[in-house]
Amino acid sequence: MVYLLNQLHRMKNPWAVGETSVQCRNCGHIFTAQMVNCFDTLLWQEAREILDEENFFYPLCPQCQTQTEISYRSRYIDRELGIAAVMIPGAERQDMEGLLQDMNRFMDRLALSGMEHRVVGNFYAMAEQMRIHKHRLNDRAIQLLKPFMIGGLQSRGFEVWDGFFTGIMQPKEAKRMDDTVYFSLQEDDPAVYSEMVYQFHIYLTNGDIIPHGINDTAYGICMNILQEKELAEDDGLFHFYDLSWAIDMHNSL
């Protein structure tokens, strides 16, 4: 934990601070790629754009031109959007309860005033936090939306790894769209087809991506769940919310 705290404390330079070694998943060639240890939008205006560009985290192998994912500890700080996220590779596989307790014991060193603090396990989740807060949404509600879509895909035989929020789309006409889940508070209510659609990329275990969406009524239902659980408001501490957390939350209802 001391090592992690020291690393986080040093994550102040928003620019690339070095290089990381990458082994190509195709040909095995080892090459170096740019490494950014802190995306601070106050000092680096392009930080959001870089986070939104998936190719940044998939450098090309100079030998065979295959994209290979990179992963390292990093931090995203966005005072305008009110989010500070720490990326710890593979965090979803760790004992997060103990790690979060340790991090929150040192909030005087790690916290930023008026911010939501999150731990994420990969750059997909870090970029997702940026998009969620850019749209001024509740990240717990966004997580709770995922099982509704993923469950449907799994029932059709798809093997899903995870899903990540990409944005919001306003339909041009009140028409049911494919690959979109619709919730309604009234039976056979056509008005749901004109609602905003929350868009996601659902990642399969084989690497394929399925675009999927879910309507605004579903988001409202998830917000009601959070209100009932007294989780709608953030307490300023570090938290880790992912698909497993959302599934556990739904199972507890």
Side-chain angles (χ1 to χ4, degrees):
M1 183 60 195
V2 173
Y3 172 72
L4 173 60
L5 288 172
N6 289 336
Q7 274 204 326
L8 295 179
H9 203 56
R10 289 197 299 268
M11 289 180 184
K12 297 183 181 299
N13 184 355
W15 305 103
V17 296
E19 297 177 330
T20 182
S21 295
V22 183
Q23 183 171 19
C24 178
R25 62 183 177 181
N26 180 50
C27 69
H29 177 65
I30 298 177
F31 61 99
T32 57
Q34 188 181 55
M35 181 174 67
V36 180
N37 68 7
C38 185
F39 298 80
D40 189 335
T41 60
L42 181 65
L43 304 175
W44 189 18
Q45 294 181 350
E46 295 82 6
R48 288 182 203 161
E49 181 180 350
I50 294 297
L51 272 178
D52 212 21
E53 178 52 61
E54 195 171 282
N55 288 336
F56 181 84
F57 306 111
Y58 280 88
L60 287 175
C61 172
Q63 186 161 291
C64 70
Q65 301 301 302
T66 299
Q67 287 185 315
T68 300
E69 184 178 0
I70 57 176
S71 184
Y72 51 82
R73 286 178 175 172
S74 185
R75 198 173 189 186
Y76 165 51
I77 301 173
D78 197 323
R79 294 165 182 82
E80 181 183 350
L81 300 184
I83 177 64
V86 176
M87 206 282 269
I88 303 175
E92 61 272 20
R93 296 186 296 273
Q94 296 180 9
D95 178 9
M96 288 306 302
E97 183 177 350
L99 178 60
L100 290 171
Q101 287 178 353
D102 287 341
M103 293 179 71
N104 288 324
R105 282 196 298 115
F106 292 93
M107 286 299 287
D108 58 328
R109 293 174 57 184
L110 300 178
L112 296 169
S113 178
M115 307 277 273
E116 291 188 353
H117 296 86
R118 298 290 181 263
V119 175
V120 297
N122 51 64
F123 281 118
Y124 296 105
M126 180 179 280
E128 179 183 57
Q129 283 292 333
M130 179 273 294
R131 298 186 192 107
I132 290 171
H133 286 80
K134 187 176 180 179
H135 287 279
R136 305 298 179 183
L137 300 173
N138 184 298
D139 67 329
R140 284 83 75 203
I142 292 295
Q143 294 297 331
L144 289 175
L145 289 173
K146 296 178 182 180
F148 295 135
M149 295 174 287
I150 290 175
L153 290 172
Q154 290 175 328
S155 68
R156 291 157 53 190
F158 291 98
E159 296 184 5
V160 178
W161 167 58
D162 210 331
F164 300 96
F165 174 75
T166 59
I168 295 178
M169 187 267 290
Q170 180 65 56
K172 295 181 180 179
E173 56 180 322
K175 180 180 178 181
R176 185 183 184 92
M177 295 184 293
D178 294 336
D179 296 324
T180 299
V181 176
Y182 293 94
F183 276 70
S184 175
L185 299 180
Q186 300 179 22
E187 188 175 356
D188 298 326
D189 183 4
V192 299
Y193 301 133
S194 62
E195 292 181 359
M196 291 188 302
V197 174
Y198 297 77
Q199 298 176 302
F200 292 77
H201 276 171
I202 308 299
Y203 289 78
L204 306 184
T205 55
N206 65 4
D208 290 346
I209 301 173
I210 298 180
H212 221 65
I214 191 165
N215 69 327
D216 190 48
T217 292
Y219 180 81
I221 291 172
C222 291
M223 285 299 299
N224 288 336
I225 292 173
L226 294 174
Q227 293 284 357
E228 292 175 3
K229 293 285 187 177
E230 298 183 352
L231 291 173
E233 300 298 327
D234 188 74
D235 58 11
L237 298 176
F238 278 99
H239 291 280
F240 179 76
Y241 300 113
D242 67 347
L243 177 60
S244 295
W245 172 87
I247 293 173
D248 290 342
M249 177 65 70
H250 282 297
N251 288 340
S252 71
L253 299 178

